[in-house]
Amino acid sequence: MTATRRSPGAELKRFLGAFSPEMAKVALRVRAFVLAEAPLAHEQITDASNAVAMGYSLTDRPGDAFCHIAVTAQWVNLGFNRGSQLPDPDRLLQGSGRWIRHLRIESLDDLHKPHVGRFIRAAMKDARGRDAAGSIDRAAPRSVVRAVYKKKRRPTTDEGDA
């Protein structure tokens, strides 16, 4: 299937307005990269208290996510929900939990590293939402804002807000 570019939408842009322009740019490029590798993925966007998070799954269920993006003030994490199960002979993935591993993306240069796309494709390969033949049979992918938390504990664009 040919990938169609999905606009980030006004809500996501507004959520990312709490971060520096450079970090917002990195976050949007990571998002575009994930959607280029996984054009059939559904996207769940959450404006949480300390980060903006985007989860990607082959179904419309957030629990089926195979990867996620978490935007913080200093970097963007590209996380893999079953990352401990991914082949990682060079030990590039960070994290020590039972399942989740991530790559820290600090600049646009980090997206040019060949392992980034390989990890996304590997995570998607065994994602929930595929039938026994490996096909994906469902409605067109969409982006959904899942939750917005009123109280923020992250930097904002106004210096007086904290």
Side-chain angles (χ1 to χ4, degrees):
M1 173 181 216
T2 305
T4 14
R5 190 169 191 272
R6 271 192 263 179
S7 167
E11 286 178 301
L12 178 56
K13 287 181 182 178
R14 184 170 47 86
F15 297 161
L16 294 175
F19 300 94
S20 71
E22 181 62 24
M23 217 29 53
K25 182 178 180 179
V26 170
L28 290 173
R29 288 300 260 306
V30 172
R31 176 187 181 267
F33 192 93
V34 169
L35 289 173
E37 291 290 338
L40 298 177
H42 288 268
E43 177 181 51
Q44 296 86 32
I45 301 167
T46 304
D47 184 21
S49 62
N50 60 350
V52 170
M54 296 162 262
Y56 299 89
S57 63
L58 299 178
T59 71
D60 60 359
R61 296 180 43 189
D64 291 344
F66 58 87
C67 78
H68 61 273
I69 298 168
V71 186
T72 69
Q74 294 83 21
W75 58 77
V76 174
N77 279 341
L78 174 57
F80 302 96
N81 294 31
R82 296 180 62 91
S84 64
Q85 305 300 304
L86 296 177
D88 185 15
D90 297 322
R91 304 180 64 72
L92 300 170
L93 293 173
Q94 299 176 12
S96 59
R98 183 174 178 192
W99 295 107
I100 296 175
R101 299 288 185 274
H102 69 275
L103 295 170
R104 182 180 287 186
I105 309 293
E106 295 184 36
S107 72
L108 295 177
D109 291 339
D110 291 336
L111 285 177
H112 298 293
K113 297 176 182 174
H115 63 268
V116 178
R118 282 196 304 262
F119 280 124
I120 295 169
R121 290 187 297 276
M124 192 173 51
K125 182 180 176 189
D126 295 320
R128 290 182 184 148
R130 292 186 181 276
D131 63 20
S135 300
I136 303 167
D137 183 24
R138 62 174 163 57
R142 59 192 180 117
S143 298
V144 175
V145 176
R146 291 286 183 190
V148 176
Y149 298 95
K150 302 266 186 221
K151 185 176 181 181
K152 305 290 185 216
R153 286 176 278 182
R154 63 174 188 233
T156 63
T157 54
D158 296 334
E159 300 222 350
D161 294 342

